[in-house]
């Protein structure tokens, strides 16, 4: 299966994109994760392995469970983003997840990508603006992997995003990227309405046939002004999803990514490990994207490294979450999280001024931390990359 996977990628992706993957993502990622592990083992003050950056709050959809909704359009300046990248590189980190809103609505996107050819970027997009021309520009750069969000088939995609022809638009974007010979991925937030449609063999086979190189499965979180808690997965569905991931990795020549379990099947939280933190469109340093509270905010970006390394808020929250659970505190115990934020006098970084009210309305629900029912990886390849490689979130192993 590994041979088939490698052959598919070699035959699908352009030479320039492959070279950037090998150098910027793989080689630099290996050194970066070693650096991260060493720093994290010595002190609670360390630089994360990578940073997720929400460039803008602007979006053409209004999705169920979306946390990026503000009273007015908010965006980071190009100079702030560039300073984040520059300081990250000084600490050995060259990988960035660029999100929104919709990142292709951010005017400085291509400027940032082209100004940093030594970095690797994963751009999370709904695909609406990923035209043939945009895909061609990404191919010329080579240091970008677009990951296109698909939230279900035709009807469910429209329901999830409150739009029309959403699924067709995402499929068109996928075709444009594959035609441009990009290293293209698909992301799916699994919930009640799309579980049967997306977490199955037929969907994986369709993605393979269309030329997708990887698929990234998330677990839906009921967050934001329209949380839709009725869409949350049950414990049994989460275990079924984990079974599906483990078994599919043995069968299908497509990379299957998750950020929830280590090689032994134990739950993990990237935020609690300090592996990654998030910069919001308003410049707030957040524990993770759904937890929209902060005590630190960037001004011109020049203070990014110092703030993220020495943030007492992030350090305390990492310690508190790690003591409480291996899973998602936001899902498991929102009341405790609310109390922590209150005690820390944390700022509401939603841009809606409703963060505390939204959190107080949440109820506990199933998380991926299910002690005693761990499902270890069966694939040797995935056991190795989860232990050693950056993109497999090697710090977990």
């Amino acid at each position: 299966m590994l041979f088939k996977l490698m052959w598919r990628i070699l035959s699908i992706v352009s030479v320039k994109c492959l070279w950037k993957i090998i150098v910027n993502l793989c080689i630099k990622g290996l050194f970066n994760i070693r650096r991260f592990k060493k720093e994290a083992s010595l002190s609670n003050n360390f630089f994360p392995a990578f940073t997720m950056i929400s460039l803008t709050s602007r979006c053409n959809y209004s999705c169920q469970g979306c946390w990026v909704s503000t009273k007015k359009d908010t965006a980071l300046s190009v100079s702030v983003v560039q300073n984040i990248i520059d300081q990250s590189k000084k600490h050995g980190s060259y990988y960035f997840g660029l999100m929104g809103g919709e990142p292709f609505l951010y005017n400085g996107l291509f400027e940032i990508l082209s100004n940093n050819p030594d970095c690797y970027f994963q751009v999370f997009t709904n695909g609406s603006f990923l035209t043939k021309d945009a895909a061609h520009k990404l191919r010329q750069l080579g240091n970008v992997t677009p990951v296109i969000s698909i939230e279900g088939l035709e009807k469910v995609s429209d329901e999830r995003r409150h739009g029309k022809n959403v699924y067709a638009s995402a499929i068109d974007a996928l075709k444009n990227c594959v035609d441009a010979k990009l290293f293209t991925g698909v992301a799916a937030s699994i919930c009640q309405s799309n579980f049967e449609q997306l977490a199955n063999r037929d969907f994986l086979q369709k993605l393979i046939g269309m030329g997708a190189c990887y698929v990234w499965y998330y677990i839906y979180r009921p967050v934001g002004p329209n949380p839709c808690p009725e869409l949350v997965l049950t414990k049994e569905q989460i275990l079924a999803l984990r079974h599906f991931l483990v078994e599919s990795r043995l069968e299908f020549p497509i990379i299957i990514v998750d950020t929830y379990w280590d090689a032994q099947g134990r739950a993990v939280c990237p935020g609690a490990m300090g592996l990654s933190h998030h910069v919001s469109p308003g410049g707030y340093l957040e524990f993770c994207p759904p937890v929209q509270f902060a005590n630190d905010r960037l001004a011109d970006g020049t203070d990014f490294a110092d703030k993220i390394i020495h943030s007492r808020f992030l350090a305390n929250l990492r310690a508190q979450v790690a003591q409480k659970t291996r899973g998602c505190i936001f899902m498991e115990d929102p009341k405790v999280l609310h109390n922590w934020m209150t005690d820390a006098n944390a700022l509401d970084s939603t841009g809606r001024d409703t963060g505390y009210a939204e959190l107080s309305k949440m109820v506990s629900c199933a998380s991926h931390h299910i002690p005693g029912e761990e499902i270890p990886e069966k694939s040797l390849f995935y056991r190795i990359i989860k232990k050693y490689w950056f993109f497999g979130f090697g710090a977990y192993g």
Side-chain angles (χ1 to χ4, degrees):
M1 185 51 60
L2 180 58
F3 176 79
K4 289 182 179 179
L5 172 61
M6 294 297 103
W7 178 251
R8 276 194 72 240
I9 293 175
L10 289 173
S11 63
I12 290 172
V13 182
S14 75
V15 173
K16 183 172 185 178
C17 291
L18 286 171
W19 177 250
K20 293 290 186 178
I21 291 170
I22 293 170
V23 176
N24 293 7
L25 179 61
C26 298
I27 295 176
K28 290 182 179 179
L30 280 169
F31 283 106
N32 182 33
I33 209 69
R34 286 185 180 181
R35 184 271 313 166
F36 169 79
K37 284 184 175 181
K38 182 178 180 180
E39 290 182 4
S41 67
L42 296 175
S43 170
N44 199 29
N45 298 327
F46 52 83
F47 197 84
F50 66 95
T51 303
M52 307 298 285
I53 307 172
S54 286
L55 300 171
T56 176
S57 65
R58 291 183 63 199
C59 190
N60 55 315
Y61 292 136
S62 179
C63 301
Q64 296 170 323
C66 178
W67 55 84
V68 188
S69 174
T70 60
K71 291 182 176 179
K72 61 180 181 179
D73 290 343
T74 307
L76 296 168
S77 69
V78 171
S79 62
V80 166
V81 178
Q82 188 58 54
N83 273 300
I84 292 171
I85 294 171
D86 289 341
Q87 293 190 41
S88 297
K89 288 192 285 190
K90 289 180 181 179
H91 287 270
S93 178
Y94 292 82
Y95 175 84
F96 304 89
L98 302 182
M99 308 185 296
E102 170 50 51
F104 280 91
L105 287 174
Y106 180 73
N107 291 332
L109 176 62
F110 284 97
E111 179 182 351
I112 290 167
L113 300 176
S114 61
N115 285 345
N116 298 279
D118 55 340
C119 294
Y120 201 78
F121 299 93
Q122 186 173 39
V123 180
F124 296 79
T125 174
N126 61 45
S128 299
F129 305 96
L130 231 174
T131 62
K132 291 182 179 180
D133 181 60
H136 179 69
K137 289 179 180 178
L138 295 182
R139 176 179 176 174
Q140 289 179 316
L141 294 168
N143 61 340
V144 187
T145 173
V147 54
I148 301 160
S149 178
I150 295 180
E151 296 302 316
L153 301 185
E154 288 85 352
K155 181 180 178 181
V156 172
S157 284
D158 286 353
E159 291 174 348
R160 290 277 288 109
R161 293 205 180 279
H162 293 123
K164 293 182 179 180
N165 300 317
V166 173
Y167 178 74
S169 177
I171 294 300
D172 286 343
L174 177 56
K175 290 178 180 177
N176 292 338
C177 292
V178 172
D179 289 345
K181 303 184 78 65
L182 296 173
F183 183 63
T184 310
V186 168
S189 175
I190 304 301
C191 63
Q192 290 286 347
S193 62
N194 65 21
F195 185 90
E196 297 296 332
Q197 294 182 355
L198 303 184
N200 65 65
R201 297 163 51 90
D202 290 341
F203 181 66
L204 284 184
Q205 198 62 61
K206 181 172 184 176
L207 294 181
I208 292 169
M210 294 186 64
C213 294
Y214 65 95
V215 57
W216 195 330
Y217 283 102
Y218 298 87
I219 294 174
Y220 177 82
R221 280 159 169 68
V223 65
N226 184 29
C228 298
E230 68 275 8
L231 295 179
V232 174
L233 297 179
T234 64
K235 169 190 169 183
E236 291 72 24
Q237 287 173 318
I238 293 174
L239 288 172
L241 176 62
R242 174 61 179 166
H243 272 291
F244 170 72
L245 298 177
V246 170
E247 297 298 331
S248 296
R249 285 166 173 157
L250 296 172
E251 183 178 355
F252 293 96
I254 185 171
I255 298 170
I256 302 174
V257 184
D258 73 77
T259 59
Y260 299 109
W261 296 279
D262 66 10
Q264 288 73 46
R266 298 172 300 185
V268 289
C269 170
M273 299 181 68
L275 185 66
S276 171
H277 291 304
H278 176 247
V279 181
S280 76
Y284 291 97
L285 294 181
E286 297 173 342
F287 179 76
C288 67
V291 179
Q292 294 179 282
F293 298 92
N295 271 353
D296 306 283
R297 190 177 189 182
L298 303 180
D300 59 1
T302 56
D303 51 357
F304 172 67
D306 181 69
K307 282 197 172 184
I308 203 166
I309 291 173
H310 298 105
S311 171
R312 293 184 61 187
F313 173 78
L314 292 176
N316 290 340
L317 192 52
R318 287 196 298 263
Q320 289 172 315
V321 173
Q323 290 176 3
K324 181 73 175 178
T325 178
R326 290 184 62 96
C328 177
I329 187 65
F330 182 82
M331 302 280 280
E332 295 176 18
D333 205 333
K335 287 185 173 56
V336 164
L337 182 60
H338 186 282
N339 292 338
W340 288 347
M341 296 301 100
T342 302
D343 292 343
N345 197 27
L347 298 172
D348 175 351
S349 54
T350 61
R352 302 183 297 274
D353 300 325
T354 54
Y356 278 100
E358 291 169 8
L359 189 58
S360 67
K361 293 178 182 178
M362 278 194 63
V363 297
S364 298
C365 51
S367 171
H368 60 292
H369 179 46
I370 308 174
E373 299 188 57
E374 292 80 6
I375 304 170
E377 293 292 341
K378 295 182 178 180
S379 165
L380 176 61
F381 172 64
Y382 282 91
R383 290 203 301 270
I384 291 173
I385 64 172
K386 283 204 169 189
K387 186 171 184 180
Y388 297 109
W389 191 39
F390 181 80
F391 191 76
F393 300 98
Y396 288 0

